Amino acid sequence: MKYLAISLFGAALLGACATPVAPADVAAAETAPEAEMVVAPAVIDVAAVSEALAAAETRSDEDKARDAGRKPAEVLAYLGLKPGDTAADFIASGGWYTEVLSIAVGPDGTVYAQNSEAALALRDRAYDKALTARLADDRLANVVRKDEELTALTIPVGSVDVALTGLNFHDVYNAYGPDAAVGFLSAIRSTLKLGGVLGVIDHAGVPGADNSELHRIDPALAVASAEAAGFIVNVNSDILASAADDHTKNVFDPAVRGQTDRFILKLTNPE
């Protein structure tokens, strides 16, 4: 996937179901005419989103084929995404996760797709072309494209419910070190609402080893960076786990490509 971290980050980083209402609550509402009953929106329905992703006629067969390994509906449910939320895909590249988020939040939601100019320029602007094609003719009407650096974001501060960055963090850390990694996470945190969540998905590496050439990272290093950026950290190592991956192969090795052992950090912006 996105392994040209130096090109991606150098300039930027170095410079649905309603909640049931109990009878007592109904009675209280009836006796208080001025009160309005508040129904909390449900977290996305995993089965429904999975079916929607599989059935979406506008998604390519190649995109759909990745669902089995990436389990997008399960990941987004773990992160607490809700229909109608404002979401953001950081380093969206060609927009695979962007489209998944678009379908999951539905027509009442909004999705920001962020890329730096360096990312868009890679491989003869391959990601730029792919994202342009994905968003052509207003096909994903709830997506707002943001071609901008993390140091100059125009996504409104404190506006995002759930953000995501998929298989990118290892390149930031490995290429630029802990300070740049903390800066990366801090920039994203600024866009989150209080209580908002950032999901970081990455390839698990061997603790203490040099994971740079393998495009992996020790999950403990990612956790330390997230805590330094001010997040409350939860780690899930089960949803995208792969016992067949011993963490010693390059993630592009045909033996593990698309089937690496991946961890998810659920990072909450404190209230």
Side-chain angles (χ1 to χ4, degrees):
M1 180 113 169
K2 311 154 206 167
Y3 61 94
L4 295 178
I6 294 177
S7 297
L8 286 172
F9 299 105
L13 290 179
L14 296 182
C17 298
T19 302
V21 180
D25 295 332
V26 173
E30 289 175 347
T31 58
E34 299 297 323
E36 292 185 6
M37 192 180 305
V38 177
V39 180
V43 172
I44 63 168
D45 183 294
V46 171
V49 172
S50 295
E51 290 173 6
L53 292 173
E57 295 181 359
T58 53
R59 292 185 82 213
S60 68
D61 291 340
E62 181 181 4
D63 273 6
K64 292 179 181 179
R66 292 181 174 182
D67 290 353
R70 293 185 173 185
K71 301 181 181 178
E74 291 91 331
V75 170
L76 296 182
Y78 171 63
L79 297 179
L81 190 74
K82 303 182 296 298
D85 270 354
T86 296
D89 185 7
F90 284 93
I91 316 174
S93 297
W96 188 91
Y97 281 111
T98 299
E99 184 156 354
V100 166
L101 289 166
S102 172
I103 292 169
V105 300
D108 295 328
T110 299
V111 179
Y112 294 108
Q114 179 271 339
N115 278 305
S116 68
E117 171 55 27
L120 296 171
L122 287 173
R123 296 168 46 211
D124 190 30
R125 305 197 72 83
Y127 292 138
D128 189 2
K129 294 170 185 176
L131 188 59
T132 297
R134 192 181 293 276
L135 302 181
D137 300 320
D138 205 26
R139 189 173 68 83
L140 302 179
N142 59 356
V143 173
V144 179
R145 181 170 175 169
K146 292 288 188 180
D147 297 351
E148 57 195 28
E149 307 301 322
L150 286 169
T151 51
L153 290 172
T154 61
I155 297 171
V157 172
S159 67
V160 175
D161 295 288
V162 176
L164 179 70
T165 189
L167 309 180
N168 298 302
F169 183 78
H170 67 275
D171 280 331
V172 181
Y173 192 100
N174 292 339
Y176 295 105
D179 289 345
V182 172
F184 171 69
L185 296 176
S186 296
I188 297 176
R189 183 184 166 201
S190 72
T191 70
L192 296 177
K193 295 178 180 178
L194 297 180
V197 168
L198 166 61
V200 176
I201 303 169
D202 223 323
H203 309 283
V206 176
D210 181 1
N211 292 290
S212 299
E213 294 301 317
L214 303 180
H215 300 284
R216 297 175 179 272
I217 188 168
D218 174 3
L221 298 179
V223 169
S225 296
E227 290 176 340
F231 283 104
I232 298 170
V233 182
N234 287 291
V235 185
N236 184 294
S237 301
D238 297 326
I239 294 175
L240 299 177
S242 175
D245 177 16
D246 65 3
H247 304 173
T248 64
K249 296 181 178 64
N250 187 296
V251 300
F252 301 103
D253 187 310
V256 295
R257 187 166 189 175
Q259 300 297 326
T260 56
D261 186 29
R262 280 154 285 161
F263 63 91
I264 308 168
L265 301 189
K266 181 179 181 180
L267 309 181
T268 303
N269 187 26
E271 300 266 4

